[in-house]
Amino acid sequence: MSANITIVGNGLLRECVAEQLAPNHHLTLLPDLEAPISKQTTLLLVMHDYWNPSIYKKAEEVAREIGIDWLRGFLSFGEGVIGPLVRAGREGCSQCADTRKMMAATDREDLWKIQQVLSKRNTIEDQWLSQTGLLQIAQLITNDVQNLTDSARPQLEGAIHLINMASLESSRHRILPDAYCSVCSSLPEDSQTDAVITLKPSIKVSGYRCRSINDLRNVLSNDYLDSRTGLLNRLMIDFETAYADAIVNLPLFTGNEGSAGRTNSYAMSEMTAILEGLERSCGIDPKGKRTVVHECYRNLDRALNPLQLGVHSEEQYKEQGYPFTPFHPDRKMNWVWGYSLIEKEPILVPERLAYYSMGCGDGFVFETSNGCAIGGSLEEAIFYGMMEVLERDSFLISWYAQLPLPQIDPYSSNDEELHLMIDRMQELTGYDLYLYNATMEHGIPCILTITKNGTSDTDRLNLMCAAGAHLDPVRAVKSAIFESVGLITPLNKDFKKKKDEFLAMYHDSSFVKKMDDHGMVYGLPEAEERLHFLLNQNRPMQTFQEAFQPSKYHADLTDDLNTMLQTFRRLNLDVIVVDQTTPEIKRNGLHCAKVIIPGILPMTFGHHLRRVTGLSRVLKVPKQLGFIDRDLTIEELNPYPHPFP
C-alpha cells in the first residue's frame, strides 16, 4: 500500500532510505524541520548520520502539532538506532526512548552530559559509518514502514532497533513510556477523589496471591528486564547460596539499586526479583500522579500528624551535623493523598513518608520502604504491605523491650517443604535455625528467626536475624529463612574482609550507619550476648499448633483483609494506604501500595536514625502481652543497634 512520506534530514542514511522507499511510496525530501510539512503526509521520517537530540525534540513538536506518526534513524557511537515509531496522540516517544536507553547504560552520567552538549545543536560524526551498515538500517526501516502501511503491527511500535555497525548484529528493545516525560506524559493531578479505595473481591490463585507468577512470567521479562533499555537492566544468578537466588538491578541516576528474589526455584526467584525491583521503582517517588498540595500541617483540615509515625529524639536532632530537623507544623512541605481503610475517608500524608527516599534534604525523618508491596491487585498489595509493617514492628518491639519470646520447634509444622529447607540449610551452610513467636497483641502470626553458626569457623558470621509475618505462620518462617540464609554465603566473604570494621561498630554504635552494618555487627561472637534474652532460655519449645491458633481459610483475599481491619479497628489502629501504582506496572494489571499504620514502629537503618519518640506502643505492648507487669520507659529500651539485616 502506497503512502505519502516526508523524509527530513541529510547525509547517506537519508539517501539509502529514500532509495529503498521510492519505488512504492510518494516521497517528499526536506533538509530540516524548518520547512512546512505537506498536509498529505501520513508518515514523517527523520534520518541522519549522527545523533542530535535537538532535532528529535523538534520532530516531536511538529508531528504532534499536525497529528502524524513519525520514526527516526541515526548513528551514535558505532551503533545504528531506529525508532521508536511514535504514534500521534499516544504516550511513548523519542524522548522516552532516550531516557530509557541512557538510564540502562553504565555510563549514564556521561551520556547525559553529552546529550546536553548535543542539544545545543552540535553534532558528532560517527566513525563507524559504512555503506553496508547503512543498507542494513535502511532495510529495517523499509520493512517497518511496509508493515505500517499494510496495517500490520510494526516492530518498532513501543521499541527501538539497535544495529552494531561493526558486526551488523541487530536487536529489538522494548521502550516503556516514561511517566516523567515532558513531551508525551499526562500524569493526573493527585486528588482526594482518586485516593478513595473500595476493596474489591480478589480471589486467591496461588497461595495468598491473586495472580500466579507463571501468569506474569512473559510479561515481567519482556516488558521490564532489558540490558539496553529496561526499567531493570541486569539479572544476576547466585549459584553459591543454599537456595535459588536471583538479583535484578534498578538503574537510578544516582547509582544502582539491587532487588533480590529468593525461593526454592531459580525461575521463581527471577520473577520475584523483578517484582521486587518494580516495587522499589514505584516507591522511590510519585510516578503515577503529580503532587499538588504544598502546605504546612497547621493549615490542613484532614492530614496525618507526622509525629504519630515516630520521629527522632531532641538529643538526636541536636547532634552536630545531624541530617534532619524537627518537624514543625508551620513549615510547608509536599503532601499526597492516602486513604484510611478504618475511617473510610481520604487523608493527606507527608510525601516524604509516603515514598521511601523522600526523606533526604530538609526532612524531619528518613523513611525506608516500610510497608511498600506490589501485587496482582491493589488488595494483594495492601495485604503484603500490612504484613511487612507488622513483621518489622514485631521485630523492633522484641528487640527494644528484649522480650524473651517463646521458642518454636521448627519441625513441628508438618510442612515437608519447610523441613527440607531446614535440612538443606544445615547441610550446605552449617547453620542451625532458631524460631521465636513474635506475635504481638493483634494476633497476626509474626516470626523472629536466628540462624546460628554450628561450626568452629570464626571467620564466618556467628548469627543472623530475620523476621516474617503472615496469616500462615509457615509462610512467615519460609520468608524469614529465605531472607537470612540467602544472604549468608555472600555476606561471609565480606565479613571476613571487614571484621575489624564491624568490631569497631560493636564497641561504638555510632559507626553503624548503613543497612548492612546492622546484621554484620551481630556476626561477631562478641555480640551474641546482646541476644541472650532469646538464646539463653530454659523452657520447653512450643509447637506450631500451640503457638498459633488456626485461622479460617478464605478463598477471597479481601475477606482476610477485612478480618484484619476489624482487629485494627478494635485496637484503635488506623490503616492508611497510599496507592503508588505507576503507569509502567498498571499496563500489566499490577499494583503497588504503601501501607502506613500510625503508632507502629518503623524499621530504620543507621543507629543514628532510630525512631521511637512518640511511639508509646513499644512501651505498652510488652505489658499487654504479659512479659512484664508495668509499662516500660524510653530509658529502659535496648540501647544497641537492632540486628535486622
Side-chain angles (χ1 to χ4, degrees):
M1 183 177 175
S2 178
N4 291 311
I5 301 174
T6 295
I7 305 180
V8 173
N10 51 56
L12 297 175
L13 179 58
R14 192 196 76 163
E15 293 179 11
C16 285
V17 171
E19 184 178 348
Q20 295 259 10
L21 293 175
N24 299 309
H25 304 280
H26 177 71
L27 305 183
T28 301
L29 304 182
L30 298 176
D32 53 47
L33 289 164
E34 300 304 321
I37 305 296
S38 168
K39 292 183 179 180
Q40 282 72 44
T41 298
T42 56
L43 178 65
L44 172 65
L45 301 181
V46 180
M47 302 288 128
H48 292 90
D49 297 346
Y50 49 81
W51 178 34
N52 191 327
S54 63
I55 294 174
Y56 312 127
K57 286 187 177 180
K58 179 67 175 177
E60 292 288 357
E61 295 173 8
V62 171
R64 286 178 179 274
E65 183 176 342
I66 59 180
I68 60 172
D69 299 342
W70 79 280
L71 178 70
R72 65 179 181 172
F74 61 94
L75 275 70
S76 174
F77 302 109
E79 197 168 55
V81 180
I82 311 172
L85 173 65
V86 183
R87 294 288 204 169
R90 299 186 193 176
E91 293 184 344
C93 68
S94 65
Q95 304 307 295
C96 295
D98 287 347
T99 298
R100 296 293 185 200
K101 186 170 179 288
M102 186 185 308
M103 288 303 300
T106 55
D107 55 350
R108 63 186 73 102
E109 190 172 346
D110 292 336
L111 283 175
W112 182 82
K113 292 177 181 177
I114 292 172
Q115 184 187 54
Q116 303 313 298
V117 172
L118 295 181
S119 294
K120 298 175 182 177
R121 298 184 179 273
N122 297 313
T123 60
I124 299 177
E125 297 294 334
D126 198 274
Q127 302 302 311
W128 287 93
L129 187 67
S130 71
Q131 187 67 26
T132 306
L134 291 173
L135 288 172
Q136 174 84 341
I137 297 172
Q139 186 60 57
L140 288 169
I141 292 172
T142 301
N143 292 344
D144 228 54
V145 170
Q146 196 59 48
N147 285 337
L148 182 62
T149 56
D150 290 345
S151 298
R153 180 178 172 85
Q155 288 195 24
L156 289 170
E157 187 173 346
I160 61 172
H161 263 127
L162 301 178
I163 301 94
N164 186 310
M165 297 300 287
S167 66
L168 300 186
E169 179 184 6
S170 64
S171 55
R172 181 182 183 275
H173 301 272
R174 186 84 167 89
I175 298 295
L176 289 176
D178 178 19
Y180 287 146
C181 182
S182 60
V183 173
C184 69
S185 176
S186 55
L187 280 182
E189 289 188 351
D190 185 26
S191 72
Q192 181 174 353
T193 302
D194 290 340
V196 174
I197 295 173
T198 302
L199 296 179
K200 301 173 183 176
S202 188
I203 304 303
K204 298 173 184 175
V205 173
S206 177
Y208 281 71
R209 296 287 183 181
C210 66
R211 289 181 70 182
S212 70
I213 292 291
N214 288 332
D215 174 46
L216 293 169
R217 191 179 306 278
N218 290 335
V219 165
L220 294 178
S221 296
N222 294 340
D223 279 11
Y224 303 113
L225 183 61
D226 189 299
S227 62
R228 298 300 307 273
T229 61
L231 184 65
L232 306 167
N233 69 341
R234 192 163 63 249
L235 168 69
M236 297 154 282
I237 302 295
D238 191 341
F239 294 105
E240 294 184 346
T241 55
Y243 308 112
D245 193 347
I247 302 170
V248 297
N249 182 63
L250 171 66
L252 304 172
F253 198 73
T254 54
N256 295 295
E257 285 279 339
S259 296
R262 300 183 181 95
T263 69
N264 287 318
S265 156
Y266 284 108
M268 186 71 73
S269 294
E270 179 181 335
M271 296 301 104
T272 303
I274 292 174
L275 288 169
E276 288 285 331
L278 295 177
E279 174 195 306
R280 188 67 54 90
S281 174
C282 293
I284 288 175
D285 48 21
K287 298 186 184 73
K289 48 202 171 184
R290 187 158 47 88
T291 300
V292 293
V293 179
H294 183 75
E295 188 52 88
C296 62
Y297 174 72
R298 197 183 300 277
N299 290 342
L300 297 172
D301 293 330
R302 179 63 180 149
L304 174 64
N305 186 341
L307 298 180
Q308 291 182 264
L309 303 183
V311 293
H312 310 300
S313 65
E314 289 184 17
E315 292 74 21
Q316 287 172 287
Y317 284 120
K318 290 178 181 178
E319 290 175 8
Q320 186 174 3
Y322 201 71
F324 304 105
T325 55
F327 167 74
H328 196 287
D330 292 326
R331 187 169 63 226
K332 288 187 175 182
M333 58 184 175
N334 287 341
W335 299 78
V336 298
W337 283 104
Y339 187 76
S340 167
L341 294 177
I342 300 298
E343 301 297 331
K344 297 187 182 302
E345 60 181 359
I347 183 172
L348 285 167
V349 177
E351 186 183 57
R352 68 184 71 255
L353 291 172
Y355 293 88
Y356 82 91
S357 68
M358 298 300 294
C360 299
D362 63 349
F364 51 92
V365 294
F366 181 82
E367 179 69 1
T368 66
S369 59
N370 287 316
C372 291
I374 195 167
S377 67
L378 182 58
E379 292 75 17
E380 182 185 322
I382 294 171
F383 175 85
Y384 280 97
M386 290 172 68
M387 290 303 109
E388 182 175 274
V389 170
L390 298 181
E391 160 199 308
R392 296 180 170 199
D393 171 77
S394 69
F395 186 96
L396 289 175
I397 289 179
S398 300
W399 173 257
Y400 283 128
Q402 300 183 73
L403 301 182
L405 303 174
Q407 190 174 349
I408 302 171
D409 178 1
Y411 285 100
S412 66
S413 68
N414 298 322
D415 186 275
E416 185 176 359
E417 183 183 54
L418 176 57
H419 299 169
L420 291 172
M421 286 174 61
I422 298 170
D423 292 343
R424 182 176 179 83
M425 174 189 74
Q426 292 172 331
E427 182 176 348
L428 295 185
T429 69
Y431 282 81
D432 298 317
L433 178 68
Y434 297 80
L435 296 184
Y436 299 92
N437 183 359
T439 303
M440 296 292 121
E441 86 288 13
H442 46 67
I444 297 168
C446 296
I447 296 286
L448 189 153
T449 67
I450 298 177
T451 47
K452 194 172 185 309
N453 185 10
T455 74
S456 58
D457 188 351
T458 58
D459 284 333
R460 305 174 53 184
L461 290 161
N462 178 48
L463 56 82
M464 177 170 267
C465 298
H470 203 284
L471 293 181
D472 177 356
V474 172
R475 292 177 187 270
V477 173
K478 290 177 182 178
S479 174
I481 292 175
F482 285 135
E483 198 64 32
S484 56
V485 179
L487 290 168
I488 282 177
T489 300
L491 289 183
N492 273 337
K493 297 176 183 178
D494 199 39
F495 179 75
K496 185 176 181 180
K497 293 178 186 176
K498 301 179 181 178
K499 192 183 293 187
D500 290 343
E501 294 180 28
F502 302 132
L503 190 59
M505 294 177 194
Y506 168 73
H507 290 296
D508 186 344
S509 296
S510 67
F511 292 151
V512 176
K513 298 287 189 182
K514 307 189 302 295
M515 181 171 66
D516 291 348
D517 296 343
H518 285 267
M520 299 298 269
V521 166
Y522 292 90
L524 295 165
E526 296 90 333
E528 183 178 317
E529 63 178 359
R530 296 180 184 175
L531 284 156
H532 279 176
F533 67 92
L534 290 173
L535 291 169
N536 284 10
Q537 295 191 43
N538 186 22
R539 54 177 170 168
M541 288 191 288
Q542 291 183 340
T543 64
F544 273 80
Q545 293 71 28
E546 293 168 337
F548 308 105
Q549 294 295 321
S551 59
K552 182 180 178 181
Y553 177 79
H554 297 109
D556 187 344
L557 186 63
T558 304
D559 290 338
D560 291 321
L561 265 181
N562 285 325
T563 299
M564 289 191 294
L565 290 174
Q566 290 175 13
T567 298
F568 289 123
R569 186 178 289 109
R570 176 173 52 82
L571 295 173
N572 293 319
L573 290 171
D574 199 357
V575 179
I576 298 169
V577 176
V578 176
D579 190 344
Q580 297 180 337
T581 305
T582 65
E584 287 96 335
I585 69 168
K586 190 175 184 178
R587 65 189 296 118
N588 289 314
L590 295 170
H591 298 262
C592 192
K594 164 87 169 185
V595 175
I596 299 169
I597 304 179
I600 292 284
L601 272 68
M603 182 58 66
T604 58
F605 296 106
H607 189 54
H608 62 302
L609 298 180
R610 65 198 179 279
R611 285 163 52 192
V612 294
T613 300
L615 299 176
S616 60
R617 172 180 180 76
V618 69
L619 309 177
K620 297 178 180 298
V621 168
K623 178 184 176 182
Q624 294 176 28
L625 295 175
F627 284 103
I628 54 177
D629 58 4
R630 58 180 177 79
D631 290 347
L632 292 171
T633 64
I634 288 287
E635 292 72 27
E636 290 178 294
L637 297 184
N638 195 333
Y640 299 114
H642 67 72
F644 196 84

